[in-house]
Amino acid sequence: AQSVTQLDSQVPVFEEAPVELRCNYSSSVSVYLFWYVQYPNQGLQLLLKYLSGSTLVKGINGFEAEFNKSQTSFHLRKPSVHISDTAEYFCAVTGGGASYDKVIFGPGTSLSVIP
Amino acid sequence: DAGVIQSPRHEVTEMGQEVTLRCKPISGHDYLFWYRQTMMRGLELLIYFNNNVPIDDSGMPEDRFSAKMPNASFSTLKIQPSEPRDSAVYFCASSPSRAHTQYFGPGTRLTVL
């Protein structure tokens, strides 16, 4: 069965500094990968997704992620964070086989941007 | 489009009462998902529908929980009887096709006293 690991539960970073949020997944089949963001008291919204093709994916708000099949990773990066990036970030992977309709979410990483 | 609509946004009830959460998906989306989010357990998939048919309800915690989708524009999640451990934020999400982006509603914050 597919699973998602987000190695850091909390990441504090100073404003305008770069950030990387780590995500690893386990799967024996090809999957689609997603990063979602959740601002306080809101639902999740898509940041970016990898379906196929180029392993470097660009998303909204200056975020990008790189798919690494050999390391089964999909780390999220931003070269310079802003206060408004403070939120919870979820990595997600589609289920495989009969569960392909489902998306399995990681536990989340709380990003705190310090002024 | 107004996005996914959930009601109520907040619900406070007493243990033993019936609770009904409502969701209106984005028009034209074939998939509808119900999630529960807590600090302890994170985001859990409860059940999902495809073309109004329940496909996988393996995440429903117990028989006190039930979900229906009588038509393409409406779904309910019912808890009867409710218990304090059901306190959580419940999200509804819809998707236009399988393995596609999910669009989340704002959630219903349920507190069971």
Side-chain angles (χ1 to χ4, degrees):
Chain A
Q2 279 68 22
S3 66
V4 179
T5 303
Q6 292 182 246
L7 297 170
D8 305 301
S9 60
Q10 295 183 331
V11 173
V13 62
F14 285 103
E15 191 174 16
E16 297 184 5
V19 69
E20 178 180 82
L21 304 184
R22 296 178 292 171
C23 172
N24 288 88
Y25 67 94
S26 66
S27 175
S28 58
V29 298
S30 296
V31 295
Y32 296 159
L33 294 156
F34 306 82
W35 275 99
Y36 284 82
V37 61
Q38 183 180 28
Y39 299 105
N41 299 313
Q42 294 186 26
L44 281 70
Q45 62 185 81
L46 183 73
L47 266 181
L48 49 80
K49 60 185 175 185
Y50 172 79
L51 304 181
S52 64
S54 172
T55 57
L56 184 63
V57 181
K58 293 189 182 298
I60 62 171
N61 300 339
F63 283 93
E64 63 181 31
E66 186 154 19
F67 170 60
N68 188 319
K69 187 175 182 178
S70 63
Q71 297 186 5
T72 59
S73 67
F74 191 53
H75 300 332
L76 181 70
R77 302 185 183 97
K78 186 170 182 177
S80 176
V81 295
H82 190 267
I83 294 290
S84 59
D85 293 324
T86 295
E88 191 85 12
Y89 292 79
F90 294 90
C91 182
V93 61
T94 49
S99 300
Y100 203 59
D101 296 342
K102 299 198 297 188
V103 172
I104 298 156
F105 287 88
T109 296
S110 178
L111 174 64
S112 297
V113 180
I114 305 163
Chain B
D1 201 314
V4 176
I5 299 172
Q6 291 187 248
S7 64
R9 292 295 310 277
H10 301 273
E11 177 81 33
V12 180
T13 190
E14 293 188 347
M15 183 174 62
Q17 296 298 305
E18 177 180 296
V19 175
T20 299
L21 311 181
R22 298 173 177 80
C23 174
K24 177 180 169 55
I26 293 173
S27 177
H29 283 194
D30 292 338
Y31 287 84
L32 184 139
F33 304 82
W34 280 101
Y35 293 91
R36 178 172 68 176
Q37 186 178 40
T38 62
M39 290 292 292
M40 291 297 295
R41 301 174 68 91
L43 194 64
E44 304 173 276
L45 176 65
L46 300 177
I47 185 172
Y48 77 94
F49 296 82
N50 177 217
N51 292 324
N52 313 337
V53 177
I55 302 301
D56 185 345
D57 65 354
S58 60
M60 296 286 260
E62 48 198 273
D63 292 346
R64 298 184 296 106
F65 286 69
S66 63
K68 294 182 180 180
M69 193 165 186
N71 57 61
S73 60
F74 184 65
S75 177
T76 60
L77 178 68
K78 185 176 294 186
I79 308 172
Q80 166 64 17
S82 58
E83 297 182 3
R85 59 193 169 119
D86 301 330
S87 297
V89 181
Y90 291 81
F91 289 104
C92 174
S94 69
S95 178
S97 61
R98 68 185 325 214
H100 202 282
T101 302
Q102 293 188 19
Y103 296 82
F104 282 74
T108 295
R109 183 174 296 276
L110 173 65
T111 303
V112 183
L113 302 174

